Amino acid sequence: MKLKNSLDFARNLDREDPLRRYREKFHIPTDNNDMPWLYFCGNSLGLQPKSTAENIQQELKDWANLGVEGHFEAKNPWMPYHEFLSDAMAKIVGAKPTEVVVMNTLTTNLHLAMVSFFETNENRTKIIIESDAFPSDRYAVESQLKFHNLNPDDHLLEWKPREGEELLNYEDLESLLDDHKDEVSLLLIGGVNYYTGQFFDLKRITELGHKHGAKVGIDLAHGVGNIQPELHASNVDFAVWCTYKYLNSGPGSLGGLFVHEKYAKNKELKRLTGWWGHNKDTRFNMRQPFDPIEGAEGWQLSNPPILSMAAIKASLAIFNEVGMVAIRKKSKDLTGYLEELVLELGENVIRIISPKNAEERGCQLSIQVKNANKELHKKLSNRNVITDWREPDVIRVAPVPLYNSFEDVFRFVQILKEEMNGY
Ligand SMILES: Cc1ncc(COP(=O)(O)O)c(C=O)c1O
Ligand SMILES: Nc1c(O)cccc1C(=O)C[C@H](N)C(=O)O
């Protein structure tokens, strides 16, 4: 019998992996000897699909040959280009195509959504976020409060972990809502927390929020393409995400917005507007009063950058082919294997703060090594192991099912073991 902790065992898992051929579809960075890096940073910037260049080239070619006529005559006409992304994106987040749109970037979309869904009245003035929300989310929320002349010190509430713990408990969220009865207007939660990797029960959170009269928004930066958020069924009011992490669409690429179908026809909802959100039939008549497109498209402002969208289109084609069910299945196996090998290093020297239950996390494990500091992360990088360090003391490791292998995981743990010596 092969030992789990052996290269042979890992290679065997790769041979049996139904998704193994997808690794070939990505550019994996290599060292000077053409050895592939051990890349575990798809939670920050996903790797480039080989089909991306071809997709972008098509649009460059059409622009060169057609100029402005490309809006209608390009192989993929630019005028409706964002629509080509909606079906695949909707499947990934568990939504109806009319509930999603690709536009802007994450933080911009968060602001636009808060303009619509953070409504205040005399009593309801507060927003709840996770105490360890990603900084950009916190800054965005603080600035929205200030925009409404509300002091964040009084109106920003934090859902905190218990003393000595990292993960959040739903009972504590409920107590927080009870303690601030009728005061909370919006709950904004990271669907998968960037630091711990905790994947929240979105349906449960939404039910809690709605029961207390609050709207619920989800930041899916670390969730999209990683877990299955089932946005429509969860009944969340809105969600926002980026596409440069697990959706592999390139640095600074566009974000996404989900607005639940129940708001599709609501033209009274406050929003910031632009011409791309206007009724497509009359957009070019000009001089029309604003008439929002029904659904998420009605939140668009500008005509979108086609070159970035071409990269997203390339990546979504892969997701569409594989499907989130198969991706999630491999993800649980791959991260489960990583967890097993890491725990063998000894719980007295290493600790995983991500949830133990695979249903409550995505692919990322957040690891603490006793007495280690950022130097350890540097040592790993020097050996072409790409992870990231998040202050104060966590190494985030995200094996991505589309391009990481069980062998990558095995090799990572071997190197970690060697470099941990001395801490
Ligand atoms: C949870 C979360 N929110 C917000 C951001 C900021 O995204 P962007 O720079 O695309 O607005 C990120 C990533 O950078 C993130 O992980
Ligand atoms: N987008 C990034 C960038 O351009 C530079 C550095 C980091 C990022 C990230 O996306 C960080 C990521 N959101 C995180 O969870 O830490």
Side-chain angles (χ1 to χ4, degrees), residues 105-108 134 136-137 194 219 221-222 242 244-245:
T105 49
L106 192 165
T107 307
T108 311
F134 192 78
S136 196
D137 295 3
Y194 85 100
D219 178 343
H222 286 264
C242 55
Y244 46 75
K245 298 179 194 294

Side-chain angles (χ1 to χ4, degrees), residues 349-369:
V349 285
I350 199 159
R351 187 169 160 250
I352 298 172
I353 64 168
S354 308
K356 288 188 174 49
N357 180 348
E359 301 298 332
E360 293 172 18
R361 66 185 184 208
C363 71
Q364 172 186 319
L365 291 185
S366 304
I367 296 172
Q368 289 173 327
V369 176

Side-chain angles (χ1 to χ4, degrees), residues 83-315:
E83 295 171 28
F84 305 147
L85 313 177
S86 299
D87 283 2
M89 191 61 96
K91 277 191 209 155
I92 291 170
V93 296
K96 298 188 175 180
T98 51
E99 291 177 314
V100 301
V101 65
V102 172
M103 61 178 200
N104 312 314
T105 49
L106 192 165
T107 307
T108 311
N109 290 342
L110 180 55
H111 276 298
L112 294 179
M114 284 196 281
V115 165
S116 298
F117 295 103
F118 174 48
E119 292 173 306
T120 57
N121 63 29
E122 221 176 295
N123 293 326
R124 240 178 240 288
T125 53
K126 298 192 172 156
I127 303 181
I128 295 181
I129 60 170
E130 312 127 270
S131 58
D132 202 6
F134 192 78
S136 196
D137 295 3
R138 177 181 288 268
Y139 305 151
V141 165
E142 284 173 354
S143 66
Q144 287 279 336
L145 287 166
K146 287 183 193 161
F147 187 74
H148 287 267
N149 297 317
L150 298 164
N151 185 343
D153 291 345
D154 305 320
H155 298 272
L156 180 56
L157 303 174
E158 292 183 359
W159 178 20
K160 293 188 180 127
R162 295 176 187 177
E163 188 73 24
E165 296 181 8
E166 283 87 9
L167 303 178
L168 293 168
N169 285 284
Y170 300 99
E171 291 74 17
D172 299 338
L173 177 60
E174 187 155 22
S175 305
L176 188 60
L177 283 159
D178 284 338
D179 290 348
H180 294 272
K181 210 168 175 40
D182 301 331
E183 292 173 5
V184 179
S185 166
L186 176 67
L187 249 141
L188 177 73
I189 306 296
V192 174
N193 181 269
Y194 85 100
Y195 187 73
T196 62
Q198 183 173 11
F199 169 28
F200 296 107
D201 182 337
L202 303 188
K203 194 156 189 277
R204 186 166 175 185
I205 288 183
T206 307
E207 277 168 9
L208 272 177
H210 287 174
K211 192 173 104 185
H212 288 80
K215 296 279 192 312
V216 177
I218 302 295
D219 178 343
L220 272 184
H222 286 264
V224 67
N226 178 23
I227 46 83
Q228 294 174 272
E230 302 303 346
L231 290 179
H232 179 83
S234 303
N235 203 20
V236 305
D237 297 287
F238 74 86
V240 291
W241 57 90
C242 55
T243 62
Y244 46 75
K245 298 179 194 294
Y246 297 105
L247 293 187
N248 311 314
S249 64
S253 188
L254 294 164
L257 171 75
F258 164 92
V259 177
H260 198 279
E261 190 182 35
K262 61 192 165 195
Y263 302 107
K265 291 182 196 293
N266 186 339
K267 297 191 177 185
E268 302 310 313
L269 212 56
K270 280 190 195 136
R271 64 178 103 187
L272 296 182
T273 54
W275 74 318
W276 226 249
H278 180 91
N279 184 340
K280 291 172 208 174
D281 296 335
T282 57
R283 188 189 283 148
F284 281 88
N285 294 354
M286 311 295 188
R287 298 175 195 83
Q288 297 279 333
F290 182 71
D291 176 19
I293 305 171
E294 285 182 9
E297 282 181 283
W299 269 264
Q300 294 172 107
L301 299 180
S302 305
N303 79 104
I306 299 300
L307 300 184
S308 250
M309 285 205 164
I312 300 176
K313 191 163 162 288
S315 170

